[in-house]
Each structure stands twice: as C-alpha cells, then as structure tokens.
Amino acid sequence: MSDDFRLGAVIITMGNRPAELNALIESVRAQQGPAVELAVVGNGAPLPVLPEGVRAVELPENLGIPGGRNVGIELFGPDGRDVDAVLFLDDDGLLPNTDSAKLLREAFSADPALGIVSFRIADPETGTTQRRHVPRLRASDPMRASRVTTFLGGASAVRSAVFPQAGQLPAEFFYAHEETDLAWRALDAGWAIDYRPDVVLFHPATSPARHAAYFHNVARNRVWLARRNLPAPLVPLYLGTWFLLTLARRPSGPALKAWLGGFRAGWAEPCGPRRPMRWSTVWRLTRLGRPPII
C-alpha cells in the first residue's frame, strides 16, 4: 500500500531565510497521510530553532548545493535507507497543496521502475511556470506530464534505492548541472524519471544568473558532465553544441569571459570518476526527446 511508502524531505539553508524555512517546514508537516520525516542542513550557517523531531546538522562550511543535499540524505541513514524516497526542497519554496506527499507515494508505489519525480515549480504570485523549470526541450506546456531525462533539484523526490546504484549528487559540482549528472546515472541504471505537474512547489520566479558563480559553474560543470558520463565520441559533439548555443545567445562581455574561464577549468580540473553511459542509454535519452548532444 502507498501509505507504507516512507518519505523524507531534505532542506538545505544558508540561514538567511528563517521565515521562509519555517513556512516550508509547516507545509511539509501539513501533508496528508503518514508524516514526512524532515532533515535540515545548515550549509555553513547556524540553524534557527526547529520543530521537535526534525533531523538537523550545522556544517562548518558551505559544501554547495549537491554536497549539502548529500549530507541531508545521510541524515536518513546510509544512502537514505531509513526512508523509501527523499524529497529535495528549496528553503524558499512552499508546498501549497496538502496532497503532494500522497501523490508521490502513489506514483512510486505504482511504478517500481520510477526512480525520480520532478515537481512543477510555480510562482506564488502569478502561478506561472518558467520554461527553464520544465525539464524537457518541448517546454511550452508546463501542465503536460511526461517521462523526462533530468529533474529540478530543489523540487524533486528520489527513490532511496537509486543512490546505492547510481551514487549521490556530485559534490564537486557545488552548483549547476548536478541533477543531470545524477539523472543520467540513474537512467543508465535502468530507472525512470517523471515530470509531474500535479505536484507543485511554490517558488518566486528568479534568474539563475543571480548566483555570482553562475556562468563559470555552468560551463565548467557542463564539461565535467560530459567527461564523466558520455561515451568518448559524444563528448566533442555535446560540448561543441553547447559552445555554439552559448555564443548564439550573445552573453555580455563579463558573462562570456566567466563562461570561457569555466569551460577551460572543466578540462583542466579533475571531475571525479568517469563512468560512460551505455549506448543503449544514449538511445533511451534520444527516444525521450533529449539526445545527449544537447
């Protein structure tokens, strides 16, 4: 039964949004059905007073988004095995509906091959979903559910059984593309990923470029993503496509300089272990509408 499927939620915080963090925790605690276990990670920041029963840790330094989430996974035991799936939620997000946990339990219970669910992110003021928050190339209809090839890190749920097979998030990425790295490894291990518009996270509409290291990390991690996961013949095709796309978007001078610096760093710096995906996974990604050359 789906009610036997245990959920845990990981929230990482820099300690600068205590009101939003508290509202998110309350929205998780308001979910229908069995209680969702909560884990909060202070990513190089002290934590506010948290409700009783919340698992928590304060890290002495900021480990980045994937590193912080990995610590949160371990708060539910090795690879999160104390629960059946781990939700990742941004600390300035909010679950507006009380049936989100119920929908996730039902989805995972109904499909044993389902490894990851990506939620729909909606702006709390307008209800709109930005195109970049729909994890597929055909993103014009955010209300259409589909199988996808990646997911949204701060609005997602990952079955705990995925981690022993595919590994956790790549901590060395710090920020950007860490979800796609895990998604590709999960798909290569045989898991499926669903985009579910009926599971909603409210989050203010923002630009990813608000992060100071955005352009550098996006370029560096794109190279790392290819070096770690793609068969050798696809690495230059994938990175060449993204190089041309970046130039076609006509970034500002400082942004292009940061991007090129990150692209160079992606080749010069160690990216972690290389585990190229099988060609059958390349074909699977292609059938799902996202061949790994873009």
Side-chain angles (χ1 to χ4, degrees):
M1 292 184 56
S2 62
D3 278 356
D4 297 329
F5 195 91
R6 302 161 299 168
L7 297 178
V10 170
I11 305 167
I12 59 171
T13 182
M14 296 292 292
N16 55 351
R17 292 191 281 240
E20 291 89 340
L21 173 62
N22 183 67
L24 173 60
I25 289 172
E26 290 306 311
S27 75
V28 174
R29 288 160 64 97
Q31 292 298 303
Q32 301 170 17
V36 178
E37 296 289 326
L38 275 158
V40 179
V41 178
N43 213 357
L47 290 173
V49 175
L50 298 170
E52 186 177 351
V54 176
R55 309 179 195 206
V57 63
E58 293 180 357
L59 301 177
E61 61 178 310
N62 181 359
L63 299 183
I65 293 173
R69 286 183 177 144
N70 288 345
V71 170
I73 293 169
E74 293 296 304
L75 289 177
F76 294 116
D79 281 330
R81 67 185 181 195
D82 292 353
V83 294
D84 296 306
V86 176
L87 284 67
F88 297 124
L89 303 172
D90 278 349
D91 70 343
D92 56 345
L94 185 79
L95 295 174
N97 304 323
T98 61
D99 65 347
S100 296
K102 173 177 175 288
L103 292 171
L104 290 170
R105 289 190 184 95
E106 291 173 350
F108 282 118
S109 298
D111 185 356
L114 180 61
I116 303 173
V117 175
S118 190
F119 311 164
R120 181 169 63 91
I121 294 179
D123 182 83
E125 298 295 328
T126 64
T128 58
T129 298
Q130 295 176 283
R131 284 184 66 94
R132 69 184 183 88
H133 285 152
V134 182
R136 58 179 178 243
L137 289 180
R138 294 185 176 91
S140 59
D141 181 7
M143 300 306 294
R144 178 172 66 87
S146 68
R147 284 270 152 102
V148 290
T149 62
T150 188
F151 64 100
L152 306 173
S156 61
V158 180
R159 191 188 293 265
S160 300
V162 169
F163 301 126
Q165 294 186 21
Q168 297 182 8
L169 294 156
E172 55 267 65
F173 280 38
F174 199 83
Y175 163 76
H177 301 318
E178 66 271 9
E179 303 93 347
T180 300
D181 187 88
L182 174 56
W184 282 1
R185 286 182 279 116
L187 289 164
D188 198 49
W191 296 100
I193 306 172
D194 277 357
Y195 168 68
R196 289 284 300 258
D198 55 342
V199 182
V200 182
L201 182 84
F202 274 175
H203 189 280
T206 56
S207 166
R210 70 191 187 279
H211 298 289
Y214 172 75
F215 293 104
H216 177 276
N217 282 22
V218 160
R220 181 197 65 188
N221 294 359
R222 182 80 69 183
V223 176
W224 283 357
L225 185 66
R227 288 176 59 196
R228 287 163 58 96
N229 296 291
L230 291 182
L234 294 185
V235 172
L237 290 174
Y238 179 79
L239 295 177
T241 298
W242 279 103
F243 194 95
L244 294 175
L245 280 172
T246 299
L247 295 179
R249 290 169 176 169
R250 301 173 65 89
S252 67
L256 181 60
K257 182 178 179 181
W259 195 93
L260 291 172
F263 194 82
R264 286 192 295 269
W267 292 105
E269 297 174 7
C271 63
R274 172 168 166 75
R275 292 194 299 174
M277 67 178 65
R278 296 167 296 169
W279 284 103
S280 59
T281 304
V282 172
W283 176 236
R284 185 182 182 192
L285 288 163
T286 302
R287 286 188 290 112
L288 287 169
R290 191 103 193 204
I293 57 171
I294 187 168

